[in-house]
Amino acid sequence: MQLLAVSALHVRLPSIHRTVHAVRNVSWSLNEGEILALVGESGCGKTMTAMAILGLLPDSAQVTGHCSWQGQQRSVRTSGTRDPLAAEHAAVIFQNPQTALNPFFTISQQMGDVALASGRVTRKSLPGVLVENLARVQLPDPSAVLKKYPHQLSGGQLQRVMIAMALVCRPQVLIADEPTTALDVIVQAEILELLRTLALEDGLAVLLITHDLGVVASLCDRVMVMYAGEIVEQGAVKEVLRSPAHPYTRKLLATVPDIDGSRTALEYIPGRVPDLSQPMHGCAFKERCAHRHGACDRVPIERVLKGGQSYRCHLNDPYEVTQP
Amino acid sequence: MKIYLIQRLAQMLVILLGVLMLTFVLSRILPGSPVEMMLGHRPSPEQIEAVRTELGLDKPIAMQFMVYLKGLAQGDLGTSLHTGQPVTSDLFNRFGATFELTTIALLLVVVMGIPLGVVSAVRQNTLSDHLVRSGSIAGMALPVFLIAMLLQMLFYGQLGWFPLQGRINAEIALDYPFAQRTGLYLVDTLLAGQWPAFKSAVLHLVLPVFTLVMASIAVVTRITRNTMVEVLQQDHIRTLQAYGVSRRRIYYRYALKATLIPLLTVIGLAYGYMLGGSVVVEFIFDWPGMGGYAVGGITRNDFPAVMGVTLLLAVIYLSMNLVIDLLYHLVDPRLELP
Amino acid sequence: MTKPVTNHTLKVRELEKVYHTRMGPFIAVNKVSLDIADGEVLAIVGESGCGKSTLSRLLIGLDQADGGEIRFNDRVLYRASDAHASHRNDGIAIVFQDPFSSLNPKMRVVDLVAEAFRPTKLSAIKGWRGRRVTRRKRVVEYLNLVGLDETHLDRFPHEFSGGQLQRIALARALAQEPGLLILDEPTAALDVSVQAQILMLLKELQQRLALSMVFISHNLGSVAFIADRIMVMYLGHRVEAGPTRKVLDHTRHHYTRALIEAVPSINPHRKRRVSTLVPRGSILRPASRSCVFADRCPAATDDCRQHAPSFTEGPGGHGFACFHPLSETQP
């Protein structure tokens, strides 16, 4: 079942000298129990995309587009006010759990305030609910955790607390913005495992924002690749990683050094990301693309392959990319 | 905790001893002596010698200091050469006056300065922010004596709402007598149940308190604003916003506590500064406080008075420091008590 | 991949560093020994708090060790018994993780790089103008090495991207003409595609200049790509060390295996196994007598909790500290 559909999402960030088009005309959807990855490098607009639908962008941002939460249509809020419909369905966790909690208050105080603000928990049932959700994220001795201050917990424990805090609001969608980037590799594996469990057992849909293709490969069902504010490719993780169709996705995959040491040389993408305050003519990736040809000055249409994988490029056969 | 306190107190004692020794030696070796002051014009050498012996100034400095410390241990700070009263009772009267003035001023600075800073931070670069900032800076930039005299001209000269100077109306104090139990007139008049005297004491406090508040609120407001602006950009505030916790609660509960550490430091400093440095205010409002006593003592080479004031101020500063350090630990759970 | 051991640039023996905290002494680096041959790249891997960054600080002399010995090119940099061993880091340069904070934002690139020149280098040249020209020329040489050029000379750090800044930091390190280059998580703050560029650059420089390097990282992918040998650290201890492929393919220590298994791989054939480790509490303090890893190890026995295994080196320079190592012939 489709939980969330986003269409024609556009985010502009005006400043005195120029307006940056950070997210450009993006449409996507998320299903129940699905783990969807939003992948890209810094500045590609992946975090903006997620925060825009929650209404969490700064006041100055101009947002247009539509969202539909379980069929309830609404246009995305322009101002920096939190969207109550979005808040009803989605909760968010952030990159660095060590700074995401206030150091001067106990876990119980902060979780309690969040729980009450969600309107889903009464003051009376509060303690029970908090303990129950901390247990759900597999934290041993939840009532002891509640009494602690953030500095008394490790990074992994804190990220579990953050997930529990999200779960208290009983969301259908969990938006996780680089949830393991600040964590050590073993702790990262544990947190990813927890997210997978929550998706499998509770039908929680997860939108995972990440730059780590390894994380995508080991956790996610579907992936969207963003470049310069656009989604350039999307599809099932297995297909996109095995046979990437867009030249950018191919390059991105070739830049990752793998632990088996099979790569003696890494590819890298020459040039820089285009200036997002300038109007874009045609394909956003053309300046850096090895397969550039005349057609690239026109906006590429979305091509759909069998299995639902789709990409935006003028190369009509993705295997042209494979064998240049 | 206990060990920590004992350590800190021991530390304080050592510092106090050092301060006393320094002041004692300095006052003795600097030119000028109380003897000339006491004896007036052209005293005979015999007279001088007699007074010196009487005051114990003929003995070596180390000896004199030991005598002073011995007295101190028994709670005797000597007798003021100028007032002829024991320094302890002088200080008691004077300190009460200063304490009453500065504490009320500090309370007002905290109660008004912090919310103004918060408003200023939350509504960055709006009219209210600019008003708060320029207003508090103006108070800081104007010399204290100017503020004091402007207030006197307006509220005494033009409007006649408040008295010009002093701690209490002398006639009212005579008609409604009260015992000086604490040295704080507000408390003493209340204890004695003398309402008119209480009212007079309050009226007398308004202008000097207001002057002090004007002069020092800027520091608190600015620190609150700047720290708050920083805190509001931190991740944990974003978390609460993302979950729809009310703005009020975020600002006054979560963000404010995170700004308290630098604020406490500034408030402590401001208080110490007011206690020792309200000389100008005391002078203009003829307030019988410590400032005037200290200045008088210094200009008249009144050794016991100077020593007494130094000791008291040092004790206040050091205890203030200790209290603030303890408050840090109360506010910030990351600082564990050793 | 391993080179015949000829001459050791760096020799470290039983190096120790103890920090005194309120909760008692904390041993950040515990009797760590390592050798780096000429032109060899040693990777130090481990999670945060394992002591890898402390070790790098000891090597370049930012911190004074509390025991052991550091020899560099047969010169004693530090020796516990010798209070006078001056620890100057001549010949050892470092590149830090975050180029945004390690380069002074108020200095031009030319000054940032030229900072590294020793005064004697330029003083031979007569005249202020001549010195200035030579200085700029020399800076350009180093910028060229890292793929930048003279157009970048007079710019300020804020005009560059993260990858370019890391190149500048690298140029500055190279300008010291180091015999050993320490790289402390040099790509952790960068985007994947930029990370690849820096890794390629490092590999190229290493081969061209025959640089000895210490490559500190938690990213096993980068390590596999660049390092000749690996040392794995856990809570200040060296738990496993050896040639890269041996350590990664024939892992002996249980901690190393947990690290490897936790790495999310893009290779669909490598299935990540769920970590079998006992989750650790927030306090990183093992019992003093036991093996450091005993409280999390799936294979720990009473023996491990009573004695600490010593680090034993096997054939091929592959060593580990474990009583119950994984079998050598695992897949």
Side-chain angles (χ1 to χ4, degrees):
Chain A
M1 196 185 79
Q2 197 175 69
L3 277 179
L4 167 65
V6 178
S7 59
L9 183 72
H10 203 107
V11 179
R12 291 177 199 84
L13 299 170
S15 67
I16 303 168
H17 303 295
R18 62 209 199 118
T19 299
V20 172
H21 296 255
V23 177
R24 296 178 302 127
N25 209 11
V26 158
S27 302
W28 51 276
S29 64
L30 178 64
N31 299 323
E32 198 176 80
E34 178 182 54
I35 306 185
L36 172 63
L38 188 50
V39 180
E41 296 178 86
S42 49
C44 73
K46 54 189 194 296
T47 300
M48 291 266 170
T49 303
M51 296 305 143
I53 56 175
L54 297 174
L56 291 178
L57 290 179
D59 292 343
S60 58
Q62 296 169 356
V63 187
T64 57
H66 290 274
C67 276
S68 128
W69 296 93
Q70 286 187 311
Q72 279 182 279
Q73 269 280 336
R74 76 160 52 206
S75 49
V76 181
R77 300 227 164 172
T78 299
S79 65
T81 49
R82 189 167 157 272
D83 184 345
L85 184 64
E88 203 181 294
H89 290 88
V92 58
I93 60 172
F94 299 101
Q95 180 175 129
N96 191 347
Q98 320 259 15
T99 58
L101 287 166
N102 190 315
F104 299 99
F105 294 85
T106 60
I107 302 299
S108 134
Q109 286 170 318
Q110 302 188 54
M111 270 185 88
D113 262 355
V114 163
L116 292 176
S118 76
R120 300 252 165 111
V121 184
T122 59
R123 205 167 269 283
K124 222 172 114 192
S125 64
L126 188 62
V129 171
L130 297 188
V131 168
E132 180 194 317
N133 281 290
L134 286 175
R136 253 176 101 190
V137 297
Q138 297 153 24
L139 273 169
D141 201 356
S143 30
V145 170
L146 277 177
K147 290 192 200 93
K148 296 213 161 140
Y149 287 96
H151 73 278
Q152 293 166 316
L153 299 172
S154 71
Q157 289 172 318
L158 284 173
Q159 197 58 293
R160 284 175 197 270
V161 168
M162 290 305 294
I163 295 173
M165 200 176 213
L167 294 179
V168 164
C169 306
R170 282 193 261 151
Q172 278 127 349
V173 178
L174 179 69
I175 293 177
D177 186 1
E178 304 260 11
T180 58
T181 307
L183 303 176
D184 274 319
V185 60
I186 292 178
V187 184
Q188 160 169 301
E190 289 164 4
I191 295 289
L192 295 180
E193 198 54 42
L194 172 66
L195 288 177
R196 191 211 303 278
T197 313
L198 289 172
L200 276 179
E201 289 174 7
D202 305 347
L204 188 72
V206 181
L207 175 67
L208 184 84
I209 301 165
T210 182
H211 68 273
D212 189 338
L213 288 163
V215 170
V216 175
S218 62
L219 178 72
C220 301
D221 306 315
R222 219 148 52 80
V223 59
M224 304 185 288
V225 182
M226 269 191 100
Y227 179 77
E230 291 174 349
I231 294 175
V232 294
E233 179 160 5
Q234 58 181 318
V237 165
K238 272 185 197 150
E239 275 148 22
V240 173
L241 293 192
R242 191 174 299 140
S243 54
H246 196 282
Y248 175 66
T249 316
R250 290 201 70 84
K251 276 284 191 188
L252 203 59
L253 277 166
T255 60
V256 184
D258 202 61
I259 189 170
D260 61 16
S262 52
R263 291 201 171 119
T264 48
L266 302 175
E267 284 192 45
Y268 54 88
I269 308 170
R272 295 179 82 157
V273 180
D275 184 351
L276 293 179
S277 64
Q278 300 300 321
M280 203 76 74
H281 299 292
C283 172
F285 189 59
K286 65 182 178 193
E287 304 288 345
R288 308 172 77 181
C289 185
H291 306 276
R292 183 178 180 177
H293 58 288
C296 297
D297 290 329
R298 295 194 310 274
V299 177
I301 52 152
E302 184 167 35
R303 293 168 193 276
V304 183
L305 299 170
K306 61 177 183 334
Q309 184 181 355
S310 70
Y311 66 105
R312 284 172 179 277
C313 181
H314 287 291
L315 298 171
N316 39 28
D317 180 0
Y319 301 101
E320 275 180 49
V321 187
T322 334
Q323 291 116 20
Chain B
M1 174 74 194
K2 234 182 207 165
I3 298 170
Y4 176 71
L5 268 184
I6 291 170
Q7 274 177 354
R8 286 294 300 259
L9 289 174
Q11 238 176 43
M12 274 172 71
L13 266 183
V14 174
I15 297 174
L16 275 182
L17 204 67
V19 168
L20 280 180
M21 207 139 83
L22 196 71
T23 327
F24 197 89
V25 172
L26 272 181
S27 62
R28 261 45 170 199
I29 58 174
L30 288 177
S33 116
V35 180
E36 288 104 63
M37 289 280 182
M38 290 172 76
L39 294 176
H41 199 55
R42 289 197 187 176
S44 69
E46 292 80 29
Q47 278 176 304
I48 291 178
E49 206 44 51
V51 174
R52 281 179 65 88
T53 319
E54 192 196 320
L55 294 179
L57 293 178
D58 53 339
K59 298 193 189 87
I61 291 184
M63 194 73 166
Q64 293 179 36
F65 190 55
M66 291 316 291
V67 172
Y68 182 80
L69 283 186
K70 209 171 145 194
L72 184 63
Q74 293 157 355
D76 178 14
L77 293 175
T79 307
S80 163
L81 304 180
H82 176 62
T83 63
Q85 299 288 321
V87 172
T88 37
S89 73
D90 273 358
L91 282 180
F92 177 77
N93 291 330
R94 297 280 182 153
F95 178 69
T98 299
F99 185 76
E100 193 166 36
L101 177 66
T102 49
T103 306
I104 293 174
L106 184 84
L107 283 179
L108 284 177
V109 163
V110 169
V111 169
M112 289 161 50
I114 293 180
L116 281 177
V118 172
V119 167
S120 198
V122 169
R123 309 197 180 159
Q124 251 181 88
N125 300 324
T126 60
L127 185 65
S128 30
D129 182 22
H130 292 307
L131 278 180
V132 168
R133 283 162 75 188
S134 45
S136 57
I137 282 301
M140 206 170 168
L142 286 176
V144 176
F145 73 87
L146 197 67
I147 300 176
M149 281 155 65
L150 283 174
L151 288 175
Q152 282 180 332
M153 274 163 60
L154 182 64
F155 291 101
Y156 172 76
Q158 297 293 317
L159 300 169
W161 291 356
F162 301 111
L164 180 65
Q165 45 188 206
R167 264 188 105 180
I168 196 161
N169 188 315
E171 285 171 29
I172 292 177
L174 279 178
D175 292 347
Y176 303 92
F178 54 94
Q180 293 207 20
R181 282 184 234 173
T182 60
L184 310 175
Y185 281 11
L186 293 187
V187 180
D188 288 338
T189 50
L190 273 185
L191 284 177
Q194 303 288 29
W195 284 105
F198 177 73
K199 200 179 144 200
S200 173
V202 170
L203 286 176
H204 278 82
L205 267 168
V206 173
L207 291 186
V209 162
F210 199 63
T211 310
L212 277 181
V213 169
M214 289 267 288
S216 39
I217 198 167
V219 188
V220 170
T221 310
R222 278 193 78 98
I223 290 284
T224 311
R225 178 188 181 276
N226 293 353
T227 321
M228 190 88 168
V229 164
E230 236 169 74
V231 169
L232 285 178
Q233 285 163 356
Q234 284 169 3
D235 287 356
H236 54 87
I237 298 295
R238 181 188 59 182
T239 306
L240 295 170
Q241 282 168 342
Y243 283 102
V245 176
S246 76
R247 283 183 187 229
R248 238 192 124 69
R249 205 164 170 77
I250 292 179
Y251 297 149
Y252 285 96
R253 181 177 158 88
Y254 287 97
L256 193 57
K257 196 159 181 189
T259 63
L260 269 185
I261 294 276
L263 253 182
L264 277 175
T265 316
V266 167
I267 290 172
L269 286 175
Y271 192 47
Y273 173 78
M274 279 191 203
L275 274 175
S278 52
V279 181
V280 177
V281 175
E282 290 185 1
F283 181 76
I284 294 177
F285 289 99
D286 195 19
W287 196 262
M290 298 248 295
Y293 190 65
V295 173
I298 292 164
T299 50
R300 292 187 196 98
N301 283 316
D302 188 346
F303 290 169
V306 172
M307 291 296 293
V309 171
T310 310
L311 181 67
L312 186 60
L313 284 182
V315 168
I316 292 169
Y317 262 100
L318 291 172
S319 359
M320 210 54 210
N321 247 317
L322 180 61
V323 168
I324 286 174
D325 279 356
L326 292 177
L327 282 177
Y328 283 165
H329 287 95
L330 213 68
V331 170
D332 194 338
R334 288 169 296 185
L335 303 172
E336 276 163 38
L337 272 180
Chain C
M1 227 182 200
T2 47
K3 299 174 173 87
V5 177
T6 46
N7 186 17
H8 280 122
T9 307
L10 185 77
K11 278 185 177 202
V12 173
R13 289 289 169 270
E14 312 236 306
L15 199 64
E16 268 196 309
K17 177 70 193 173
V18 183
Y19 289 112
H20 295 279
T21 65
R22 275 194 192 144
M23 288 154 73
F26 174 74
I27 307 174
V29 174
N30 197 332
K31 297 224 157 88
V32 169
S33 304
L34 60 94
D35 289 319
I36 296 174
D38 275 347
E40 186 183 47
V41 182
L42 172 75
I44 305 181
V45 298
E47 295 174 283
S48 48
C50 74
K52 55 191 197 290
S53 287
T54 308
L55 184 58
S56 76
R57 292 174 64 84
L58 296 179
L59 291 183
I60 59 163
L62 277 176
D63 263 340
Q64 177 95 15
D66 294 315
E69 185 183 286
I70 306 173
R71 292 175 75 89
F72 177 62
N73 283 341
D74 293 323
R75 193 157 51 91
V76 176
L77 289 189
Y78 170 81
R79 184 181 283 159
S81 52
D82 184 0
H84 298 293
S86 67
H87 193 167
R88 285 174 313 170
N89 62 337
D90 278 6
I92 304 182
I94 187 163
V95 174
F96 291 102
Q97 172 175 353
D98 183 5
F100 295 96
S101 61
S102 68
L103 295 169
N104 186 339
K106 296 196 174 66
M107 284 171 79
R108 291 172 198 280
V109 170
V110 52
D111 299 317
L112 282 169
V113 177
E115 222 181 6
F117 295 155
R118 293 200 195 96
T120 50
K121 255 192 195 158
L122 294 171
S123 57
I125 298 144
K126 281 262 153 52
W128 171 83
R129 203 173 291 271
R131 268 204 288 273
R132 184 169 175 275
V133 171
T134 324
R135 183 166 169 267
R136 288 176 74 85
K137 228 186 247 162
R138 291 198 55 102
V139 170
V140 171
E141 279 170 33
Y142 289 108
L143 288 182
N144 286 340
L145 267 182
V146 298
L148 299 172
D149 55 49
E150 63 270 16
T151 57
H152 299 110
L153 272 179
D154 292 306
R155 298 210 211 148
F156 289 98
H158 68 96
E159 298 172 64
F160 294 94
S161 66
Q164 286 174 312
L165 287 178
Q166 201 58 303
R167 284 167 192 268
I168 295 168
L170 193 56
R172 181 171 65 170
L174 292 174
Q176 296 171 41
E177 303 197 334
L180 176 71
L181 184 61
I182 297 176
L183 301 144
D184 191 352
E185 306 252 11
T187 60
L190 306 175
D191 261 321
V192 239
S193 67
V194 185
Q195 179 180 322
Q197 293 177 25
I198 297 290
L199 285 176
M200 285 297 286
L201 174 67
L202 284 174
K203 192 159 193 168
E204 183 204 316
L205 284 173
Q206 196 269 329
Q207 282 162 358
R208 205 159 99 202
L209 308 174
L211 272 174
S212 308
M213 292 199 222
V214 174
F215 185 85
I216 296 170
S217 181
H218 64 269
N219 184 334
L220 286 175
S222 321
V223 166
F225 176 73
I226 204 162
D228 299 317
R229 291 199 305 127
I230 292 184
M231 178 168 99
V232 183
M233 287 182 74
Y234 183 74
L235 293 186
H237 289 255
R238 173 175 61 150
V239 295
E240 183 160 5
T244 302
R245 288 317 328 160
K246 279 214 159 166
V247 171
L248 292 181
D249 297 335
H250 307 284
T251 311
R252 306 302 302 276
H253 200 281
H254 296 270
Y255 176 65
T256 314
R257 179 159 88 171
L259 266 188
I260 294 171
E261 280 176 356
V263 175
S265 171
I266 56 163
N267 188 339
H269 305 301
R270 262 185 66 93
K271 259 284 151 245
R272 190 169 52 82
R273 268 176 284 176
V274 182
S275 116
T276 45
L277 293 190
V278 182
R280 76 174 169 203
S282 49
I283 295 160
L284 309 167
R285 210 170 287 268
S288 53
R289 302 276 296 280
S290 72
C291 166
V292 265
F293 192 54
D295 55 343
R296 298 183 69 195
C297 186
T301 58
D302 285 345
D303 215 17
C304 305
R305 288 180 199 99
Q306 274 148 22
H307 313 284
S310 60
F311 188 91
T312 45
E313 205 157 301
H318 185 185
F320 53 88
C322 184
F323 289 130
H324 314 288
L326 293 154
S327 108
E328 211 167 345
T329 53
Q330 57 176 324

